[in-house]
Amino acid sequence: MTTVSDDELIASAEAVLHPHPVGGRLFGNVASTLVTETGRLHSGVCIDTGSGTGFCAEHAAIAAMVTAREYRIARIVAVWRDEEGTLRVVPPCGRCREFIRQIDPGNLDTEVVLGPRHSLRLRELLPYQEWPGAHG
């Protein structure tokens, strides 16, 4: 696998970050890039639509990966630019964490980049992923 640094992964996500207003909503104001076990990069952006029909940037990046017939995510990052123009790394929401897990069981070991030189494995962000859990 090709090694991609945190800075390179963040820069790759930033490269597709292009907010576009549509009817009071923003498309593309959060971007994500992931690197697969084979070293391929896939990126995507969020689409914020009404009635819950939109999706997060991580979903878009994962859809691109699955379209390329890959399922194991080695590392993933999402970025957003705040009102002052500062680029921020943002953690995946709970829905995205679960989505990553369901794409491939091995993705519990996905490294989630939370900032330059700071990351955690998905299993650390989603500690209670087994269902159904033991009773008692």
Side-chain angles (χ1 to χ4, degrees), residues 102-136:
Q102 288 189 27
I103 294 298
D104 188 284
N107 287 339
L108 280 170
D109 291 318
T110 296
E111 185 179 341
V112 179
V113 177
L114 301 170
R117 294 159 297 286
H118 179 61
S119 61
L120 291 172
R121 300 277 177 209
L122 180 64
R123 70 176 62 255
E124 296 172 282
L125 295 173
L126 191 65
Y128 300 104
Q129 76 278 352
E130 292 182 20
W131 191 90
H135 181 69

PDB file of all heavy atoms in Angstrom, residues 102-136:
ATOM      1  N   GLN A 102     -20.205  -1.152   8.290  1.00  0.00           N
ATOM      2  CA  GLN A 102     -21.028  -2.111   7.554  1.00  0.00           C
ATOM      3  C   GLN A 102     -20.506  -2.421   6.154  1.00  0.00           C
ATOM      4  O   GLN A 102     -20.860  -3.451   5.585  1.00  0.00           O
ATOM      5  CB  GLN A 102     -22.476  -1.612   7.472  1.00  0.00           C
ATOM      6  CG  GLN A 102     -23.180  -1.712   8.804  1.00  0.00           C
ATOM      7  CD  GLN A 102     -24.662  -1.430   8.704  1.00  0.00           C
ATOM      8  OE1 GLN A 102     -25.282  -1.630   7.660  1.00  0.00           O
ATOM      9  NE2 GLN A 102     -25.239  -0.969   9.801  1.00  0.00           N
ATOM     10  N   ILE A 103     -19.666  -1.571   5.594  1.00  0.00           N
ATOM     11  CA  ILE A 103     -19.134  -1.821   4.256  1.00  0.00           C
ATOM     12  C   ILE A 103     -18.232  -3.055   4.245  1.00  0.00           C
ATOM     13  O   ILE A 103     -18.242  -3.843   3.297  1.00  0.00           O
ATOM     14  CB  ILE A 103     -18.382  -0.584   3.724  1.00  0.00           C
ATOM     15  CG1 ILE A 103     -19.356   0.585   3.514  1.00  0.00           C
ATOM     16  CG2 ILE A 103     -17.597  -0.880   2.455  1.00  0.00           C
ATOM     17  CD1 ILE A 103     -20.455   0.336   2.498  1.00  0.00           C
ATOM     18  N   ASP A 104     -17.444  -3.241   5.308  1.00  0.00           N
ATOM     19  CA  ASP A 104     -16.575  -4.420   5.430  1.00  0.00           C
ATOM     20  C   ASP A 104     -16.226  -4.578   6.903  1.00  0.00           C
ATOM     21  O   ASP A 104     -15.852  -3.595   7.548  1.00  0.00           O
ATOM     22  CB  ASP A 104     -15.298  -4.229   4.608  1.00  0.00           C
ATOM     23  CG  ASP A 104     -14.459  -5.493   4.555  1.00  0.00           C
ATOM     24  OD1 ASP A 104     -13.789  -5.798   5.568  1.00  0.00           O
ATOM     25  OD2 ASP A 104     -14.461  -6.163   3.515  1.00  0.00           O
ATOM     26  N   PRO A 105     -16.343  -5.781   7.461  1.00  0.00           N
ATOM     27  CA  PRO A 105     -16.022  -5.963   8.879  1.00  0.00           C
ATOM     28  C   PRO A 105     -14.611  -5.511   9.250  1.00  0.00           C
ATOM     29  O   PRO A 105     -14.369  -5.033  10.355  1.00  0.00           O
ATOM     30  CB  PRO A 105     -16.183  -7.467   9.102  1.00  0.00           C
ATOM     31  CG  PRO A 105     -17.043  -7.943   7.989  1.00  0.00           C
ATOM     32  CD  PRO A 105     -16.791  -7.021   6.836  1.00  0.00           C
ATOM     33  N   GLY A 106     -13.668  -5.614   8.317  1.00  0.00           N
ATOM     34  CA  GLY A 106     -12.301  -5.193   8.567  1.00  0.00           C
ATOM     35  C   GLY A 106     -12.149  -3.691   8.746  1.00  0.00           C
ATOM     36  O   GLY A 106     -11.121  -3.209   9.224  1.00  0.00           O
ATOM     37  N   ASN A 107     -13.177  -2.946   8.374  1.00  0.00           N
ATOM     38  CA  ASN A 107     -13.105  -1.494   8.501  1.00  0.00           C
ATOM     39  C   ASN A 107     -13.156  -1.017   9.946  1.00  0.00           C
ATOM     40  O   ASN A 107     -12.948   0.170  10.204  1.00  0.00           O
ATOM     41  CB  ASN A 107     -14.189  -0.813   7.666  1.00  0.00           C
ATOM     42  CG  ASN A 107     -13.876  -0.878   6.189  1.00  0.00           C
ATOM     43  OD1 ASN A 107     -12.735  -1.069   5.790  1.00  0.00           O
ATOM     44  ND2 ASN A 107     -14.902  -0.726   5.371  1.00  0.00           N
ATOM     45  N   LEU A 108     -13.381  -1.912  10.888  1.00  0.00           N
ATOM     46  CA  LEU A 108     -13.257  -1.519  12.297  1.00  0.00           C
ATOM     47  C   LEU A 108     -11.828  -1.066  12.598  1.00  0.00           C
ATOM     48  O   LEU A 108     -11.593  -0.319  13.538  1.00  0.00           O
ATOM     49  CB  LEU A 108     -13.649  -2.670  13.224  1.00  0.00           C
ATOM     50  CG  LEU A 108     -15.151  -2.852  13.420  1.00  0.00           C
ATOM     51  CD1 LEU A 108     -15.429  -4.163  14.152  1.00  0.00           C
ATOM     52  CD2 LEU A 108     -15.735  -1.670  14.173  1.00  0.00           C
ATOM     53  N   ASP A 109     -10.879  -1.495  11.767  1.00  0.00           N
ATOM     54  CA  ASP A 109      -9.489  -1.084  11.946  1.00  0.00           C
ATOM     55  C   ASP A 109      -9.116   0.126  11.084  1.00  0.00           C
ATOM     56  O   ASP A 109      -7.955   0.517  11.041  1.00  0.00           O
ATOM     57  CB  ASP A 109      -8.552  -2.246  11.651  1.00  0.00           C
ATOM     58  CG  ASP A 109      -8.683  -3.327  12.712  1.00  0.00           C
ATOM     59  OD1 ASP A 109      -8.764  -2.969  13.900  1.00  0.00           O
ATOM     60  OD2 ASP A 109      -8.733  -4.515  12.347  1.00  0.00           O
ATOM     61  N   THR A 110     -10.097   0.721  10.410  1.00  0.00           N
ATOM     62  CA  THR A 110      -9.843   1.935   9.630  1.00  0.00           C
ATOM     63  C   THR A 110      -9.299   3.022  10.538  1.00  0.00           C
ATOM     64  O   THR A 110      -9.814   3.254  11.629  1.00  0.00           O
ATOM     65  CB  THR A 110     -11.148   2.427   8.957  1.00  0.00           C
ATOM     66  OG1 THR A 110     -11.579   1.449   8.018  1.00  0.00           O
ATOM     67  CG2 THR A 110     -10.945   3.763   8.263  1.00  0.00           C
ATOM     68  N   GLU A 111      -8.259   3.693  10.069  1.00  0.00           N
ATOM     69  CA  GLU A 111      -7.686   4.816  10.799  1.00  0.00           C
ATOM     70  C   GLU A 111      -8.463   6.076  10.415  1.00  0.00           C
ATOM     71  O   GLU A 111      -8.478   6.475   9.251  1.00  0.00           O
ATOM     72  CB  GLU A 111      -6.214   4.968  10.433  1.00  0.00           C
ATOM     73  CG  GLU A 111      -5.495   6.020  11.203  1.00  0.00           C
ATOM     74  CD  GLU A 111      -4.028   6.114  10.810  1.00  0.00           C
ATOM     75  OE1 GLU A 111      -3.490   5.158  10.216  1.00  0.00           O
ATOM     76  OE2 GLU A 111      -3.447   7.158  11.096  1.00  0.00           O
ATOM     77  N   VAL A 112      -9.125   6.674  11.384  1.00  0.00           N
ATOM     78  CA  VAL A 112      -9.910   7.882  11.159  1.00  0.00           C
ATOM     79  C   VAL A 112      -9.037   9.075  11.563  1.00  0.00           C
ATOM     80  O   VAL A 112      -8.674   9.215  12.733  1.00  0.00           O
ATOM     81  CB  VAL A 112     -11.220   7.863  11.974  1.00  0.00           C
ATOM     82  CG1 VAL A 112     -12.012   9.148  11.745  1.00  0.00           C
ATOM     83  CG2 VAL A 112     -12.054   6.629  11.607  1.00  0.00           C
ATOM     84  N   VAL A 113      -8.702   9.900  10.588  1.00  0.00           N
ATOM     85  CA  VAL A 113      -7.849  11.061  10.841  1.00  0.00           C
ATOM     86  C   VAL A 113      -8.706  12.148  11.488  1.00  0.00           C
ATOM     87  O   VAL A 113      -9.721  12.573  10.933  1.00  0.00           O
ATOM     88  CB  VAL A 113      -7.186  11.556   9.547  1.00  0.00           C
ATOM     89  CG1 VAL A 113      -6.366  12.818   9.801  1.00  0.00           C
ATOM     90  CG2 VAL A 113      -6.320  10.457   8.940  1.00  0.00           C
ATOM     91  N   LEU A 114      -8.291  12.571  12.670  1.00  0.00           N
ATOM     92  CA  LEU A 114      -9.021  13.583  13.434  1.00  0.00           C
ATOM     93  C   LEU A 114      -8.299  14.924  13.442  1.00  0.00           C
ATOM     94  O   LEU A 114      -8.795  15.902  13.994  1.00  0.00           O
ATOM     95  CB  LEU A 114      -9.248  13.089  14.861  1.00  0.00           C
ATOM     96  CG  LEU A 114     -10.033  11.781  14.965  1.00  0.00           C
ATOM     97  CD1 LEU A 114      -9.990  11.245  16.384  1.00  0.00           C
ATOM     98  CD2 LEU A 114     -11.460  11.983  14.489  1.00  0.00           C
ATOM     99  N   GLY A 115      -7.143  14.967  12.830  1.00  0.00           N
ATOM    100  CA  GLY A 115      -6.331  16.175  12.731  1.00  0.00           C
ATOM    101  C   GLY A 115      -4.941  15.780  12.315  1.00  0.00           C
ATOM    102  O   GLY A 115      -4.599  14.591  12.315  1.00  0.00           O
ATOM    103  N   PRO A 116      -4.114  16.753  11.944  1.00  0.00           N
ATOM    104  CA  PRO A 116      -2.738  16.403  11.594  1.00  0.00           C
ATOM    105  C   PRO A 116      -2.063  15.676  12.762  1.00  0.00           C
ATOM    106  O   PRO A 116      -2.100  16.138  13.896  1.00  0.00           O
ATOM    107  CB  PRO A 116      -2.084  17.767  11.339  1.00  0.00           C
ATOM    108  CG  PRO A 116      -3.221  18.684  11.038  1.00  0.00           C
ATOM    109  CD  PRO A 116      -4.386  18.176  11.854  1.00  0.00           C
ATOM    110  N   ARG A 117      -1.552  14.511  12.462  1.00  0.00           N
ATOM    111  CA  ARG A 117      -0.846  13.693  13.449  1.00  0.00           C
ATOM    112  C   ARG A 117      -1.735  13.235  14.618  1.00  0.00           C
ATOM    113  O   ARG A 117      -1.259  13.016  15.720  1.00  0.00           O
ATOM    114  CB  ARG A 117       0.412  14.416  13.960  1.00  0.00           C
ATOM    115  CG  ARG A 117       1.460  14.595  12.862  1.00  0.00           C
ATOM    116  CD  ARG A 117       2.445  15.688  13.122  1.00  0.00           C
ATOM    117  NE  ARG A 117       1.874  17.021  13.194  1.00  0.00           N
ATOM    118  CZ  ARG A 117       1.436  17.755  12.159  1.00  0.00           C
ATOM    119  NH1 ARG A 117       1.491  17.255  10.957  1.00  0.00           N
ATOM    120  NH2 ARG A 117       0.940  18.974  12.323  1.00  0.00           N
ATOM    121  N   HIS A 118      -3.032  13.103  14.367  1.00  0.00           N
ATOM    122  CA  HIS A 118      -3.945  12.579  15.386  1.00  0.00           C
ATOM    123  C   HIS A 118      -5.021  11.742  14.706  1.00  0.00           C
ATOM    124  O   HIS A 118      -5.750  12.240  13.840  1.00  0.00           O
ATOM    125  CB  HIS A 118      -4.601  13.706  16.185  1.00  0.00           C
ATOM    126  CG  HIS A 118      -5.568  13.207  17.213  1.00  0.00           C
ATOM    127  ND1 HIS A 118      -5.193  12.391  18.256  1.00  0.00           N
ATOM    128  CD2 HIS A 118      -6.903  13.390  17.335  1.00  0.00           C
ATOM    129  CE1 HIS A 118      -6.260  12.104  18.997  1.00  0.00           C
ATOM    130  NE2 HIS A 118      -7.307  12.700  18.448  1.00  0.00           N
ATOM    131  N   SER A 119      -5.088  10.467  15.070  1.00  0.00           N
ATOM    132  CA  SER A 119      -6.108   9.586  14.510  1.00  0.00           C
ATOM    133  C   SER A 119      -6.434   8.493  15.508  1.00  0.00           C
ATOM    134  O   SER A 119      -5.668   8.224  16.435  1.00  0.00           O
ATOM    135  CB  SER A 119      -5.633   8.982  13.184  1.00  0.00           C
ATOM    136  OG  SER A 119      -4.473   8.208  13.381  1.00  0.00           O
ATOM    137  N   LEU A 120      -7.574   7.879  15.298  1.00  0.00           N
ATOM    138  CA  LEU A 120      -8.007   6.732  16.089  1.00  0.00           C
ATOM    139  C   LEU A 120      -8.576   5.685  15.142  1.00  0.00           C
ATOM    140  O   LEU A 120      -9.050   6.014  14.051  1.00  0.00           O
ATOM    141  CB  LEU A 120      -9.099   7.131  17.093  1.00  0.00           C
ATOM    142  CG  LEU A 120      -8.678   8.033  18.245  1.00  0.00           C
ATOM    143  CD1 LEU A 120      -9.914   8.491  19.024  1.00  0.00           C
ATOM    144  CD2 LEU A 120      -7.712   7.324  19.167  1.00  0.00           C
ATOM    145  N   ARG A 121      -8.557   4.437  15.562  1.00  0.00           N
ATOM    146  CA  ARG A 121      -9.198   3.370  14.796  1.00  0.00           C
ATOM    147  C   ARG A 121     -10.715   3.520  14.953  1.00  0.00           C
ATOM    148  O   ARG A 121     -11.206   3.978  15.987  1.00  0.00           O
ATOM    149  CB  ARG A 121      -8.771   1.998  15.303  1.00  0.00           C
ATOM    150  CG  ARG A 121      -7.298   1.754  15.205  1.00  0.00           C
ATOM    151  CD  ARG A 121      -6.929   1.295  13.829  1.00  0.00           C
ATOM    152  NE  ARG A 121      -5.477   1.144  13.747  1.00  0.00           N
ATOM    153  CZ  ARG A 121      -4.803   1.296  12.636  1.00  0.00           C
ATOM    154  NH1 ARG A 121      -5.431   1.587  11.522  1.00  0.00           N
ATOM    155  NH2 ARG A 121      -3.508   1.162  12.623  1.00  0.00           N
ATOM    156  N   LEU A 122     -11.445   3.115  13.929  1.00  0.00           N
ATOM    157  CA  LEU A 122     -12.899   3.201  13.986  1.00  0.00           C
ATOM    158  C   LEU A 122     -13.430   2.479  15.213  1.00  0.00           C
ATOM    159  O   LEU A 122     -14.349   2.965  15.867  1.00  0.00           O
ATOM    160  CB  LEU A 122     -13.527   2.628  12.717  1.00  0.00           C
ATOM    161  CG  LEU A 122     -15.055   2.668  12.678  1.00  0.00           C
ATOM    162  CD1 LEU A 122     -15.561   4.112  12.680  1.00  0.00           C
ATOM    163  CD2 LEU A 122     -15.577   1.909  11.477  1.00  0.00           C
ATOM    164  N   ARG A 123     -12.853   1.344  15.573  1.00  0.00           N
ATOM    165  CA  ARG A 123     -13.334   0.580  16.729  1.00  0.00           C
ATOM    166  C   ARG A 123     -13.248   1.395  18.013  1.00  0.00           C
ATOM    167  O   ARG A 123     -14.000   1.169  18.938  1.00  0.00           O
ATOM    168  CB  ARG A 123     -12.628  -0.758  16.853  1.00  0.00           C
ATOM    169  CG  ARG A 123     -11.189  -0.708  17.265  1.00  0.00           C
ATOM    170  CD  ARG A 123     -10.564  -2.105  17.476  1.00  0.00           C
ATOM    171  NE  ARG A 123     -10.555  -2.933  16.277  1.00  0.00           N
ATOM    172  CZ  ARG A 123     -11.388  -3.973  16.072  1.00  0.00           C
ATOM    173  NH1 ARG A 123     -12.265  -4.327  16.972  1.00  0.00           N
ATOM    174  NH2 ARG A 123     -11.311  -4.662  14.950  1.00  0.00           N
ATOM    175  N   GLU A 124     -12.339   2.378  18.065  1.00  0.00           N
ATOM    176  CA  GLU A 124     -12.234   3.245  19.239  1.00  0.00           C
ATOM    177  C   GLU A 124     -13.312   4.327  19.231  1.00  0.00           C
ATOM    178  O   GLU A 124     -13.707   4.817  20.286  1.00  0.00           O
ATOM    179  CB  GLU A 124     -10.855   3.897  19.293  1.00  0.00           C
ATOM    180  CG  GLU A 124      -9.723   2.894  19.464  1.00  0.00           C
ATOM    181  CD  GLU A 124      -8.378   3.536  19.316  1.00  0.00           C
ATOM    182  OE1 GLU A 124      -7.965   3.797  18.159  1.00  0.00           O
ATOM    183  OE2 GLU A 124      -7.741   3.784  20.363  1.00  0.00           O
ATOM    184  N   LEU A 125     -13.788   4.689  18.052  1.00  0.00           N
ATOM    185  CA  LEU A 125     -14.854   5.684  17.928  1.00  0.00           C
ATOM    186  C   LEU A 125     -16.238   5.043  17.970  1.00  0.00           C
ATOM    187  O   LEU A 125     -17.226   5.711  18.174  1.00  0.00           O
ATOM    188  CB  LEU A 125     -14.708   6.456  16.610  1.00  0.00           C
ATOM    189  CG  LEU A 125     -13.459   7.301  16.478  1.00  0.00           C
ATOM    190  CD1 LEU A 125     -13.362   7.874  15.061  1.00  0.00           C
ATOM    191  CD2 LEU A 125     -13.443   8.410  17.505  1.00  0.00           C
ATOM    192  N   LEU A 126     -16.282   3.739  17.758  1.00  0.00           N
ATOM    193  CA  LEU A 126     -17.537   2.995  17.706  1.00  0.00           C
ATOM    194  C   LEU A 126     -17.387   1.753  18.584  1.00  0.00           C
ATOM    195  O   LEU A 126     -17.395   0.629  18.099  1.00  0.00           O
ATOM    196  CB  LEU A 126     -17.827   2.600  16.248  1.00  0.00           C
ATOM    197  CG  LEU A 126     -19.171   2.041  15.878  1.00  0.00           C
ATOM    198  CD1 LEU A 126     -20.275   3.065  16.067  1.00  0.00           C
ATOM    199  CD2 LEU A 126     -19.151   1.565  14.430  1.00  0.00           C
ATOM    200  N   PRO A 127     -17.218   1.957  19.907  1.00  0.00           N
ATOM    201  CA  PRO A 127     -16.841   0.819  20.756  1.00  0.00           C
ATOM    202  C   PRO A 127     -17.924  -0.232  20.942  1.00  0.00           C
ATOM    203  O   PRO A 127     -17.603  -1.373  21.238  1.00  0.00           O
ATOM    204  CB  PRO A 127     -16.486   1.485  22.090  1.00  0.00           C
ATOM    205  CG  PRO A 127     -17.231   2.767  22.082  1.00  0.00           C
ATOM    206  CD  PRO A 127     -17.298   3.197  20.649  1.00  0.00           C
ATOM    207  N   TYR A 128     -19.168   0.096  20.753  1.00  0.00           N
ATOM    208  CA  TYR A 128     -20.238  -0.879  20.995  1.00  0.00           C
ATOM    209  C   TYR A 128     -20.880  -1.253  19.667  1.00  0.00           C
ATOM    210  O   TYR A 128     -22.058  -1.026  19.448  1.00  0.00           O
ATOM    211  CB  TYR A 128     -21.258  -0.314  21.977  1.00  0.00           C
ATOM    212  CG  TYR A 128     -20.623   0.028  23.299  1.00  0.00           C
ATOM    213  CD1 TYR A 128     -20.349   1.341  23.645  1.00  0.00           C
ATOM    214  CD2 TYR A 128     -20.236  -0.962  24.187  1.00  0.00           C
ATOM    215  CE1 TYR A 128     -19.738   1.663  24.845  1.00  0.00           C
ATOM    216  CE2 TYR A 128     -19.622  -0.671  25.371  1.00  0.00           C
ATOM    217  CZ  TYR A 128     -19.373   0.647  25.708  1.00  0.00           C
ATOM    218  OH  TYR A 128     -18.749   0.941  26.881  1.00  0.00           O
ATOM    219  N   GLN A 129     -20.100  -1.871  18.780  1.00  0.00           N
ATOM    220  CA  GLN A 129     -20.578  -2.158  17.436  1.00  0.00           C
ATOM    221  C   GLN A 129     -21.216  -3.541  17.310  1.00  0.00           C
ATOM    222  O   GLN A 129     -21.868  -3.818  16.329  1.00  0.00           O
ATOM    223  CB  GLN A 129     -19.440  -2.011  16.421  1.00  0.00           C
ATOM    224  CG  GLN A 129     -18.444  -3.132  16.404  1.00  0.00           C
ATOM    225  CD  GLN A 129     -17.372  -3.038  17.475  1.00  0.00           C
ATOM    226  OE1 GLN A 129     -17.274  -2.045  18.155  1.00  0.00           O
ATOM    227  NE2 GLN A 129     -16.589  -4.061  17.636  1.00  0.00           N
ATOM    228  N   GLU A 130     -21.019  -4.411  18.287  1.00  0.00           N
ATOM    229  CA  GLU A 130     -21.595  -5.758  18.159  1.00  0.00           C
ATOM    230  C   GLU A 130     -23.082  -5.726  18.448  1.00  0.00           C
ATOM    231  O   GLU A 130     -23.535  -5.094  19.393  1.00  0.00           O
ATOM    232  CB  GLU A 130     -20.887  -6.708  19.132  1.00  0.00           C
ATOM    233  CG  GLU A 130     -19.459  -6.946  18.753  1.00  0.00           C
ATOM    234  CD  GLU A 130     -18.780  -7.919  19.696  1.00  0.00           C
ATOM    235  OE1 GLU A 130     -19.476  -8.678  20.390  1.00  0.00           O
ATOM    236  OE2 GLU A 130     -17.536  -7.907  19.726  1.00  0.00           O
ATOM    237  N   TRP A 131     -23.844  -6.414  17.605  1.00  0.00           N
ATOM    238  CA  TRP A 131     -25.284  -6.473  17.791  1.00  0.00           C
ATOM    239  C   TRP A 131     -25.757  -7.867  17.451  1.00  0.00           C
ATOM    240  O   TRP A 131     -25.344  -8.407  16.428  1.00  0.00           O
ATOM    241  CB  TRP A 131     -25.973  -5.449  16.897  1.00  0.00           C
ATOM    242  CG  TRP A 131     -27.414  -5.297  17.233  1.00  0.00           C
ATOM    243  CD1 TRP A 131     -27.961  -4.428  18.119  1.00  0.00           C
ATOM    244  CD2 TRP A 131     -28.502  -6.031  16.679  1.00  0.00           C
ATOM    245  NE1 TRP A 131     -29.303  -4.577  18.160  1.00  0.00           N
ATOM    246  CE2 TRP A 131     -29.679  -5.567  17.282  1.00  0.00           C
ATOM    247  CE3 TRP A 131     -28.613  -7.047  15.745  1.00  0.00           C
ATOM    248  CZ2 TRP A 131     -30.934  -6.079  16.971  1.00  0.00           C
ATOM    249  CZ3 TRP A 131     -29.855  -7.556  15.434  1.00  0.00           C
ATOM    250  CH2 TRP A 131     -30.994  -7.065  16.059  1.00  0.00           C
ATOM    251  N   PRO A 132     -26.569  -8.498  18.200  1.00  0.00           N
ATOM    252  CA  PRO A 132     -27.008  -8.028  19.512  1.00  0.00           C
ATOM    253  C   PRO A 132     -25.903  -8.246  20.541  1.00  0.00           C
ATOM    254  O   PRO A 132     -25.098  -9.165  20.412  1.00  0.00           O
ATOM    255  CB  PRO A 132     -28.218  -8.878  19.826  1.00  0.00           C
ATOM    256  CG  PRO A 132     -27.984 -10.153  19.069  1.00  0.00           C
ATOM    257  CD  PRO A 132     -27.181  -9.774  17.829  1.00  0.00           C
ATOM    258  N   GLY A 133     -25.867  -7.412  21.532  1.00  0.00           N
ATOM    259  CA  GLY A 133     -24.884  -7.531  22.609  1.00  0.00           C
ATOM    260  C   GLY A 133     -25.296  -8.577  23.614  1.00  0.00           C
ATOM    261  O   GLY A 133     -26.451  -8.989  23.686  1.00  0.00           O
ATOM    262  N   ALA A 134     -24.347  -9.010  24.397  1.00  0.00           N
ATOM    263  CA  ALA A 134     -24.639  -9.993  25.444  1.00  0.00           C
ATOM    264  C   ALA A 134     -25.506  -9.345  26.529  1.00  0.00           C
ATOM    265  O   ALA A 134     -25.345  -8.168  26.827  1.00  0.00           O
ATOM    266  CB  ALA A 134     -23.336 -10.499  26.054  1.00  0.00           C
ATOM    267  N   HIS A 135     -26.414 -10.106  27.079  1.00  0.00           N
ATOM    268  CA  HIS A 135     -27.296  -9.600  28.141  1.00  0.00           C
ATOM    269  C   HIS A 135     -26.729 -10.043  29.493  1.00  0.00           C
ATOM    270  O   HIS A 135     -26.410 -11.191  29.688  1.00  0.00           O
ATOM    271  CB  HIS A 135     -28.711 -10.146  27.963  1.00  0.00           C
ATOM    272  CG  HIS A 135     -29.666  -9.658  28.998  1.00  0.00           C
ATOM    273  ND1 HIS A 135     -30.076  -8.351  29.038  1.00  0.00           N
ATOM    274  CD2 HIS A 135     -30.255 -10.273  30.032  1.00  0.00           C
ATOM    275  CE1 HIS A 135     -30.906  -8.203  30.059  1.00  0.00           C
ATOM    276  NE2 HIS A 135     -31.031  -9.359  30.687  1.00  0.00           N
ATOM    277  N   GLY A 136     -26.643  -9.078  30.409  1.00  0.00           N
ATOM    278  CA  GLY A 136     -26.227  -9.467  31.746  1.00  0.00           C
ATOM    279  C   GLY A 136     -24.994  -8.847  32.239  1.00  0.00           C
ATOM    280  O   GLY A 136     -24.261  -8.118  31.836  1.00  0.00           O
TER     281      GLY A 136
END
